[in-house]
Amino acid sequence: MVARGSGAEEAAPTQQRLVFAYYITGHGFGHATRALEVVRHLIGAGHDVHVVTAAPEFVFTTEIDSPSLHIRRVLLDCGAVQADALTVDRLASLEKYHQTAVVPREAILRTEVEWLNSIKADLVVSDVVPVACRAAADAGIRSVCVTNFSWDFIYAEYVVAAGNHHRSIVWQIAEDYSHCEFLLRLPGYCPMPAFRDVIDVPLVVRRLHKSRSEVRKELGIADDVKVVIFNFGGQPAGWKLKKEWLPDGWLCLVCGASDTQELPPNYIKLAKDAYTPDLMAASDCMLGKIGYGTVSEALAYKLPFVFVRRDYFNEEPFLRNMLEHYQCGIEMIRRDLLTGHWKPYLLRALTLKPCYDRPINGGEVAAHILQDTAIGKKYISGKLSGARRLRDAIVLGYQLQRAPGRDVGIPEWYSLSEKEIGVRAAVAPASCRISGSAESSFEDFEILHGDMQGLTDTMAFLTSLSGLVGNDPRMPEKQSRERTAASVLFDLEEDIYVARAPGRLDVMGGIADYSGSLVLQMPIREACHVAIQRSNPIKQKLWKHTQARQLANGAVPVLQIVSFGSELSNRAPTFDMDLSDFMDGDKPISYGKAKEYFSQDPSQKWAAYVAGTILVLMTELGVRFTDSMSILVSSSVPEGKGVSSSASVEVATMSAIAAVYGLNIAPRDLAILCQKVENHIVGAPCGVMDQMTSACGEANKLLAMVCQPAEVKELVSIPTHIRFWGLDSGIRHSVGGTDYGSVRVGTYMGRKMIKCAASDLISQSFPSTPAQSCDASEEYEKYGVELLKSEASLQYLCNLPPHRYEAAYARDIPELITGDEFMKKYGDHNDAVTVVDPKRSYSVKAPTRHPIYENFRVEAFKALLTAAKTDEQLSALGELMYQCHYSYNACGLGSDGTDRLVNLVQEIQHRKTTSQHGGPSLFGAKITGGGSGGSVCVIGKNSLKSSEEIFEIQKRYKAATGYLPVVFEGSSPGAGKFGYLKIRWRSA
């Protein structure tokens, strides 16, 4: 019954021959290989198993040669779609699941119910296909799931990233799972609240067929040769493996290499159907990515596992914790993987002592339980299921409310030993510790220059810094990985420089900034702090993997960065590089090369906002950095909310670097330099208003600036009777997104069309034939040649008044045009930071009209701020904001969430009120910044009633969407006004 080896224990025979329908998810081979072990034991006990899978048949048939195995190849879910071997595409995963399992759902259910009845299935087993549980219920058959994670948990964060679109997918999956009788839960499990009852089983692991010596003999490898198995579940194209990447005398067994790939002599290409467990047991360590299959087999066969982190692979932290708990895993930085800096990791792996001592017979145990269930036995877990389900439900609910990513760890390489540095445990979150003990903590530092200006967030940041050193028994024993990394950043005997830059609330102006509009921006209370220290490369404290690189390459200036708060987004919390990477000979590398450099690892792309400031200073100001730098970034400006989290990071970083190097850069100039970081290195085509507000703003004032390119007109005090709020829609916003970029392209297309039309009118004003003289004279009188000349050389679209646009050009601007058609007729659109796609259709009329009218609205808004303090004044200001909002929508930059918030403001503003409540308190709202989600700005009276109505909007929005909006209120000074702090540890 079972081919390929013997000795496996099988499920206890029963008199009844049972029929099992075993559904396996379409995500990777790991599910198929673990299901294989359970199936093998079921067939060994004399039962029939029908496997429903999208995996290749050979995965099963090479291990099980039996007429009792029936394979039906069909895809009923898609799992997680991978952009590459290390990155999950969250939006594509949701879209594909929608197309695979949601659109054809009714047809799938009919087909599966009919099929289950046709095979007379006694039990449905799912790993972990949601619809299988519902189909089983519809067919009147019991079902059991076998898994370490469920798709409702995995997709929950993807939904948040998608702006809560496809939220119903999560609830549908959870409902499908609820039809399952119980869950056989595997080690390394995630929260799974949808299941009513849980039975924990041991690791399900494929058995070994051959001994270590047998495998090595077959491969011609001596017993004393060190071997690493390279296992990434199918090697991606473009990874070129090099001989020098391995330590001398080592061999590498490569799984999944393509037939055409050529490998160096110290690499061995394995067959496609090679039996991985035997090869793992014959190796000294493994280099790969985390998945249940690789982790379980590494633990079972005590194989040290060097793993590379995967983006948005949400089960990874739970498996990783198990690996590290049993001393079986260390993380390799992705950049080191791609550049071949393998040696220190492989040598470190040999020192690990894996100690997994739990049972590994999960396949046998699961088969016994499934067999007993199929014949009618009732299993009860014996656990407090209600309490467990409540706990898991809370975890899942938390997932649905937070930003994408979670529990992102850093390698042990980032920390030195406690004996070396005297690390103490982590402090509590900064926001919770502005009290007596907090004050004494930040007073551990002597302020040699600057003033905290009474800012509680700055006090909290210094408290956080003081928590990185010394020993404090009041603190928890275990500190987060990012704090461990930060604890070795700074030399306490040397000065540390601190800069601060706030986010901004776009009151008026928004996307008209790149068209030269007047904008009105308010710096918000939330801000980014950056601490920096420069040091001699020989004296700098280095993380272990950086130190290993230095030993190989010599002591060169190194940049080490830690970003606090990485657990709230899917990014690695640390980044390091040799500053020489920014040099091409004796000149800085191009911005294009830098963009490519930071794009190598999506989890570290965030570092472009920080490290990119160094390259811009090198390129634009000729600064040369010969010292090493250690940088700590801590931002309370939430990402993806449309309040310029990126600008605050750029401005705070460049301000700190300017301070530590004594660079005298005016706030306006610094903002323009920071815009270059975002445009050219990050690759986001934003205007300059975000950086200008963060650098030049002042508390409780609107920065009025004309973006031509960046001239501060004045700082407008916010009248005391007026108040602004920001309300987050929960829909993630990014100026790097396609919507923002395509609208910008359409705007520049419209400008080019207007300039060409004006040139044509000029040529008509000077007729070449007498017959045209009369008409030309009329054109001349109508437009005026000088006016047309200025419009033919129009640099900023906002310099064209609305009446001129309507009179001369509006009728000729098309609604849409393809990129190809535009380029054939007009050539380039003359925008340095966007590219026209010939195959794409662009909206032109609405994006062209928006900045022309928006500039007029902003001018009117600014003038109205100084008008008499009446409800009419507030109504007029609010009307201008509403007009701006709907103009955004016309451009294609609206969203369901922001529309809902604006509609709620309108409802509250215009609802009938009793005389005792008086008139309205809220008067207008608009989408902010780049649009397509993010936040809305609300204007109202500075009163208790308006605050109550904002709270009412929060509650009503949550009731409708399940998301509680974040409220931004209050203001704080920009980086220029704050200056910088120069601090030193008092005990030093």
Side-chain angles (χ1 to χ4, degrees):
M1 288 181 291
V2 180
R4 316 290 184 197
S6 60
E9 292 188 35
E10 294 142 357
T14 177
Q15 299 300 317
Q16 185 178 354
R17 188 177 183 88
L18 302 170
V19 177
F20 294 87
Y22 209 127
Y23 287 81
I24 302 172
T25 189
H27 177 76
F29 281 6
H31 296 265
T33 56
R34 73 185 181 198
L36 165 68
E37 275 302 297
V38 183
V39 169
R40 189 171 66 81
H41 283 283
L42 289 172
I43 290 176
H47 305 304
D48 285 308
V49 181
H50 294 256
V51 174
V52 184
T53 180
E57 288 191 18
F58 78 81
V59 175
F60 298 89
T61 56
T62 54
E63 281 298 295
I64 303 173
D65 182 14
S66 169
S68 298
L69 172 66
H70 312 273
I71 297 177
R72 174 173 166 243
R73 297 202 67 221
V74 61
L75 181 67
L76 297 178
D77 69 352
C78 63
V81 177
Q82 295 192 195
D84 57 44
L86 298 172
T87 306
V88 171
D89 188 326
R90 296 165 295 169
L91 304 188
S93 298
L94 292 173
E95 287 291 346
K96 187 170 181 181
Y97 186 87
H98 180 76
Q99 295 301 321
T100 304
V102 177
V103 173
R105 178 176 172 81
E106 294 307 317
I108 289 173
L109 284 171
R110 285 194 303 271
T111 301
E112 295 311 305
V113 169
E114 182 180 341
W115 178 75
L116 287 171
N117 287 327
S118 72
I119 66 170
K120 296 182 172 56
D122 294 293
L123 185 70
V124 170
V125 187
S126 179
D127 181 3
V128 62
V129 181
V131 75
C133 303
R134 173 59 187 272
D138 289 353
I141 303 170
R142 299 166 74 186
S143 63
V144 174
C145 283
V146 183
T147 187
N148 65 305
F149 73 83
S150 57
W151 289 114
D152 50 344
F153 175 79
I154 300 297
Y155 286 156
E157 289 184 330
Y158 298 178
V159 165
V160 177
N164 293 327
H165 301 309
H166 299 302
R167 178 181 282 264
S168 61
I169 284 177
V170 175
W171 308 130
Q172 183 64 71
I173 291 173
E175 182 184 332
D176 284 348
Y177 286 146
S178 71
H179 293 286
C180 168
E181 186 159 324
F182 59 84
L183 164 69
L184 294 181
R185 187 169 63 179
L186 301 174
Y189 57 83
C190 306
M192 292 180 276
F195 297 98
R196 290 175 294 169
D197 230 331
V198 173
I199 301 172
D200 286 306
V201 297
L203 281 178
V204 176
V205 180
R206 287 181 290 177
R207 58 185 177 148
L208 296 180
H209 296 333
K210 298 174 183 176
S211 68
R212 174 186 173 95
S213 59
E214 287 175 326
V215 174
R216 286 187 167 233
K217 185 176 180 180
E218 286 183 4
L219 295 173
I221 302 173
D223 289 341
D224 60 343
V225 173
K226 299 300 180 186
V227 175
V228 56
I229 182 168
F230 187 82
N231 187 6
F232 280 87
Q235 191 183 341
W239 284 12
K240 295 182 179 179
L241 305 175
K242 298 182 179 179
K243 178 181 178 181
E244 61 271 19
W245 291 3
L246 296 175
D248 292 340
W250 279 57
L251 287 176
C252 179
L253 307 180
V254 181
C255 300
S258 66
D259 294 335
T260 58
Q261 184 174 10
E262 294 185 5
L263 296 177
N266 50 349
Y267 292 77
I268 298 175
K269 186 186 299 186
L270 299 173
K272 285 278 192 301
D273 59 351
Y275 191 64
T276 311
D278 286 351
L279 294 161
M280 289 173 62
S283 300
D284 296 285
C285 64
M286 177 166 59
L287 173 56
K289 61 184 180 183
I290 285 180
Y292 177 86
T294 51
V295 168
S296 62
E297 288 165 1
L299 289 170
Y301 303 123
K302 295 181 170 53
L303 180 68
F305 188 178
V306 179
F307 59 86
V308 182
R309 185 176 169 273
R310 300 164 73 178
D311 293 315
Y312 309 114
F313 187 63
N314 295 338
E315 69 169 309
E316 179 175 284
F318 302 92
L319 293 172
R320 172 191 182 132
N321 287 343
M322 188 164 64
L323 269 180
E324 294 179 342
H325 178 76
Y326 291 106
Q327 303 175 44
C328 194
I330 57 172
E331 182 184 346
M332 175 185 281
I333 311 302
R334 185 181 306 188
R335 191 172 68 255
D336 286 341
L337 170 74
L338 299 177
T339 58
H341 188 62
W342 294 7
K343 294 178 184 178
Y345 299 96
L346 299 181
L347 296 176
R348 172 74 179 94
L350 296 185
T351 68
L352 296 181
K353 298 187 183 302
C355 57
Y356 191 77
D357 56 357
R358 310 298 298 275
I360 59 173
N361 63 334
E364 176 190 356
V365 172
H368 276 291
I369 295 172
L370 294 175
Q371 175 184 277
D372 290 347
T373 303
I375 60 176
K377 181 175 179 179
K378 295 288 185 181
Y379 270 92
I380 299 175
S381 70
K383 293 180 179 292
L384 298 175
S385 298
R388 179 196 56 76
R389 291 178 64 205
L390 176 61
R391 181 199 67 203
D392 284 357
I394 290 170
V395 172
L396 180 63
Y398 179 53
Q399 291 302 125
L400 287 168
Q401 293 298 329
R402 67 188 299 190
R406 175 199 61 259
D407 298 333
V408 175
I410 64 169
E412 60 143 27
W413 299 90
Y414 282 121
S415 61
L416 302 175
S417 71
E418 292 191 4
K419 292 180 180 179
E420 291 178 71
I421 59 172
V423 174
R424 82 164 183 211
V427 296
S431 58
C432 303
R433 302 191 63 243
I434 303 304
S435 60
S437 62
E439 289 177 9
S440 62
S441 295
F442 75 72
E443 288 178 356
D444 289 341
F445 289 103
E446 179 183 2
I447 298 178
L448 305 176
H449 176 275
D451 181 1
M452 287 193 293
Q453 302 178 29
L455 294 165
T456 56
D457 63 338
T458 302
M459 298 177 191
F461 180 68
L462 295 191
T463 298
S464 182
L465 281 181
S466 70
L468 298 176
V469 294
N471 290 285
D472 189 341
R474 298 171 298 177
M475 301 305 171
E477 291 184 4
K478 186 177 181 180
Q479 67 178 11
S480 68
R481 294 171 182 271
E482 62 185 27
R483 296 192 68 85
T484 301
S487 66
V488 298
L489 271 181
F490 301 123
D491 182 345
L492 296 181
E493 295 183 357
E494 300 297 331
D495 298 337
I496 300 172
Y497 290 74
V498 176
R500 177 191 185 278
R504 66 96 187 95
L505 183 63
D506 168 35
V507 175
M508 288 292 287
I511 58 167
D513 62 342
Y514 55 73
S515 296
S517 178
L518 175 71
V519 297
L520 296 172
Q521 307 294 309
M522 184 182 81
I524 60 176
R525 181 178 57 191
E526 291 77 9
C528 174
H529 286 83
V530 170
I532 185 170
Q533 186 178 75
R534 59 186 288 191
S535 57
N536 187 299
I538 298 175
K539 296 182 178 180
Q540 185 185 23
K541 292 183 176 181
L542 296 175
W543 296 319
K544 289 184 179 179
H545 73 284
T546 314
Q547 193 173 49
R549 193 168 65 237
Q550 289 265 314
L551 290 174
N553 302 334
V556 296
V558 171
L559 172 65
Q560 294 186 143
I561 307 170
V562 175
S563 175
F564 278 177
S566 59
E567 73 279 3
L568 298 179
S569 61
N570 196 79
R571 65 168 188 262
T574 59
F575 175 84
D576 65 272
M577 64 178 291
D578 296 341
L579 286 175
S580 58
D581 290 346
F582 275 155
M583 297 299 293
D584 184 5
D586 59 351
K587 294 181 180 179
I589 63 173
S590 69
Y591 290 149
K593 285 185 178 179
K595 181 180 176 182
E596 183 179 344
Y597 178 90
F598 289 109
S599 297
Q600 290 178 7
D601 183 350
S603 72
Q604 292 189 322
K605 191 175 179 180
W606 62 268
Y609 295 99
V610 182
T613 61
I614 295 172
L615 181 62
V616 167
L617 290 171
M618 293 168 65
T619 304
E620 306 298 329
L621 300 186
V623 182
R624 291 295 177 263
F625 297 96
T626 56
D627 284 341
S628 291
M629 276 184 273
S630 298
I631 297 178
L632 174 63
V633 180
S634 179
S635 181
S636 63
V637 185
E639 299 173 31
K641 309 298 185 187
V643 289
S644 298
S645 58
S646 59
S648 65
V649 170
E650 293 156 357
V651 171
T653 302
M654 191 173 287
S655 298
I657 293 173
V660 75
Y661 280 92
L663 306 175
N664 186 17
I665 307 174
R668 173 191 177 275
D669 297 334
L670 186 139
I672 294 173
L673 291 171
C674 288
Q675 184 197 17
K676 291 182 183 295
V677 176
E678 191 140 2
N679 285 173
H680 303 303
I681 300 177
V682 175
C686 70
V688 74
M689 71 177 190
D690 298 357
Q691 291 82 3
M692 284 291 291
T693 309
S694 190
C696 306
E698 293 187 17
N700 301 311
K701 294 181 181 179
L702 298 180
L703 182 77
M705 61 170 287
V706 179
C707 303
Q708 299 188 12
E711 302 298 333
V712 175
K713 196 167 185 179
E714 61 182 301
L715 287 157
V716 182
S717 295
I718 300 172
T720 55
H721 70 292
I722 293 177
R723 192 171 179 184
F724 296 103
W725 295 264
L727 281 173
D728 163 41
S729 67
I731 296 176
R732 199 165 176 82
H733 149 84
S734 169
V735 295
T738 55
D739 288 341
Y740 178 91
S742 64
V743 169
R744 176 164 175 153
V745 169
T747 304
Y748 276 85
M749 284 178 166
R751 188 190 69 165
K752 184 67 173 283
M753 292 175 181
I754 289 170
K755 293 173 70 172
C756 291
S759 297
D760 290 344
L761 288 171
I762 292 172
S763 65
Q764 294 172 23
S765 300
F766 298 95
S768 57
T769 62
Q772 295 176 326
S773 60
C774 181
D775 290 341
S777 177
E778 290 177 3
E779 292 287 346
Y780 184 89
E781 290 294 325
K782 186 175 181 181
Y783 297 110
V785 173
E786 292 304 316
L787 183 57
L788 289 173
K789 285 182 177 178
S790 68
E791 290 168 356
S793 59
L794 187 68
Q795 187 173 4
Y796 294 101
L797 202 50
C798 287
N799 289 344
L800 184 69
H803 73 273
R804 287 292 298 149
Y805 171 72
E806 294 294 347
Y809 306 109
R811 63 182 179 273
D812 297 321
I813 302 295
E815 293 286 346
L816 295 167
I817 192 171
T818 65
D820 184 57
E821 183 183 353
F822 173 83
M823 290 189 288
K824 285 179 181 177
K825 189 172 182 180
Y826 298 100
D828 191 11
H829 68 320
N830 301 126
D831 180 21
V833 297
T834 58
V835 177
V836 176
D837 182 351
K839 298 180 181 179
R840 182 168 185 171
S841 290
Y842 292 93
S843 175
V844 179
K845 198 174 192 72
T848 301
R849 189 178 191 274
H850 174 82
I852 294 170
Y853 277 85
E854 181 69 359
N855 187 54
F856 172 77
R857 286 189 288 263
V858 181
E859 293 279 8
F861 193 98
K862 177 174 171 292
L864 277 168
L865 283 173
T866 59
K869 301 178 181 179
T870 63
D871 282 4
E872 287 75 16
Q873 176 210 26
L874 282 162
S875 294
L877 290 168
E879 176 61 28
L880 291 170
M881 294 178 74
Y882 286 136
Q883 288 181 20
C884 170
H885 178 78
Y886 291 111
S887 185
Y888 260 80
N889 282 356
C891 292
L893 292 175
S895 74
D896 293 341
T898 49
D899 281 350
R900 186 183 293 273
L901 286 169
V902 170
N903 290 339
L904 286 170
V905 173
Q906 290 179 359
E907 288 177 25
I908 287 176
Q909 178 187 356
H910 296 297
R911 68 186 173 187
K912 292 182 179 179
T913 56
T914 60
S915 58
Q916 70 183 48
H917 288 95
S921 294
L922 303 180
F923 289 86
K926 62 175 278 290
I927 195 170
T928 64
S932 296
S935 299
V936 300
C937 176
V938 181
I939 187 172
K941 290 181 179 178
N942 188 9
S943 66
L944 177 61
K945 181 184 175 184
S946 61
S947 296
E948 292 171 345
E949 289 178 344
I950 290 292
F951 181 56
E952 179 184 346
I953 289 172
Q954 280 184 286
K955 291 193 296 183
R956 290 176 63 180
Y957 188 84
K958 182 180 181 182
T961 67
Y963 179 81
L964 182 67
V966 176
V967 177
F968 301 99
E969 55 183 331
S971 183
S972 67
K977 198 72 174 176
F978 179 83
Y980 68 90
L981 302 179
K982 180 180 177 182
I983 62 175
R984 182 178 293 176
W985 187 252
R986 286 187 185 277
S987 61

